[in-house]
Amino acid sequence: MSNSIRKNLEEAKNILDKFLSDEKNILAIERAGEILVAALKGGNKIISCGNGGSMADAMHFAEEMTGRFREDRKPFAAIAISDPSYITCTANDYGFENIFSRFVEAHGKSGDVLVAISTSGNSKNILKAAEVAKAAGVKIIGLTGKDGGKLASFCDVEIRAPYADFADRAQEIHIKVIHSLIDFTEQNINN
């Protein structure tokens, strides 16, 4: 049993090492952080969304932006599209593929940022949200995996986890990226 645990952790480490060894990834995180900082300095907000584990990551991102990450500071304007009443109402009336896009249509304004999280880059509801965001002048930061999927083409900045057979490896990279983005925002918001 301990061999499978060790193998699992070594695989996670190898994916992280692969991600870190590509300077493009660090630069993409920096560009994404600059977009977040500019939006917040401009009085705009950040909307995040994802499905399943990626929704949990979107919620994690928003709560640490509005709550606290490492430093005591004013809260940052961020919200995850995660309210169960809203999601089930919208899915029932308009279909699951519209749960995020209708929220972005209602609340997204030019200058805002959408953090769209999809390990495949092909989730229909994420793609529709990105399409609506792009049309509204909302910047898009995409956290993807595999080959980036269709979401990659919508992004102002795409941060792609290295290819892995399973989504959990991409999710592990995504949470590290999320923490890096929050830290970057905290460090640069007053500059």
Side-chain angles (χ1 to χ4, degrees):
M1 183 61 107
S2 64
N3 285 341
S4 66
I5 294 168
R6 181 174 301 283
K7 181 181 176 205
N8 186 43
L9 293 171
E10 286 174 355
E11 183 180 276
K13 178 186 176 299
N14 291 339
I15 293 286
L16 178 58
D17 287 344
K18 185 174 182 181
F19 183 79
L20 276 170
S21 69
D22 188 344
E23 190 63 22
K24 290 186 311 186
N25 294 322
I26 307 307
L27 295 174
I29 294 170
E30 183 176 39
R31 281 194 316 275
E34 289 167 352
I35 288 172
L36 295 175
V37 169
L40 293 170
K41 282 185 175 182
N44 297 100
K45 66 187 163 302
I46 301 154
I47 301 168
S48 56
C49 62
N51 291 295
S54 295
M55 178 182 277
D57 287 343
M59 293 168 63
H60 187 141
F61 173 78
E63 60 90 1
E64 287 190 339
M65 292 293 275
T66 57
R68 182 178 187 270
F69 179 56
R70 291 185 173 168
E71 304 295 330
D72 288 327
R73 52 150 166 90
K74 292 175 103 174
F76 301 140
I79 186 166
I81 308 172
S82 60
D83 180 276
S85 296
Y86 165 78
I87 288 171
T88 56
C89 168
T90 305
N92 186 58
D93 294 342
Y94 297 99
F96 190 71
E97 67 276 7
N98 293 299
I99 61 172
F100 300 133
S101 61
R102 287 189 62 84
F103 189 97
V104 172
E105 185 177 356
H107 298 286
K109 306 290 182 246
S110 182
D112 290 345
V113 180
L114 175 67
V115 177
I117 309 171
S118 173
T119 58
S120 70
N122 290 316
S123 300
K124 288 180 185 176
N125 55 9
I126 299 290
L127 294 173
K128 287 192 86 165
E131 185 179 319
V132 168
K134 188 65 88 180
V138 173
K139 297 273 190 192
I140 301 166
I141 298 169
L143 275 57
T144 67
K146 300 195 185 259
D147 64 0
K150 294 175 184 172
L151 180 59
S153 66
F154 285 100
C155 296
D156 293 281
V157 177
E158 178 201 9
I159 305 167
R160 186 183 303 173
Y163 183 86
D165 291 333
F166 300 102
D168 57 326
R169 295 284 93 102
Q171 290 169 332
E172 290 164 355
I173 296 297
H174 289 173
I175 198 62
K176 289 165 179 49
V177 169
I178 286 166
H179 285 154
S180 295
L181 289 172
I182 298 165
D183 183 63
F184 182 94
T185 303
E186 284 189 349
Q187 298 301 318
N188 291 280
I189 197 73
N190 294 318
N191 295 342

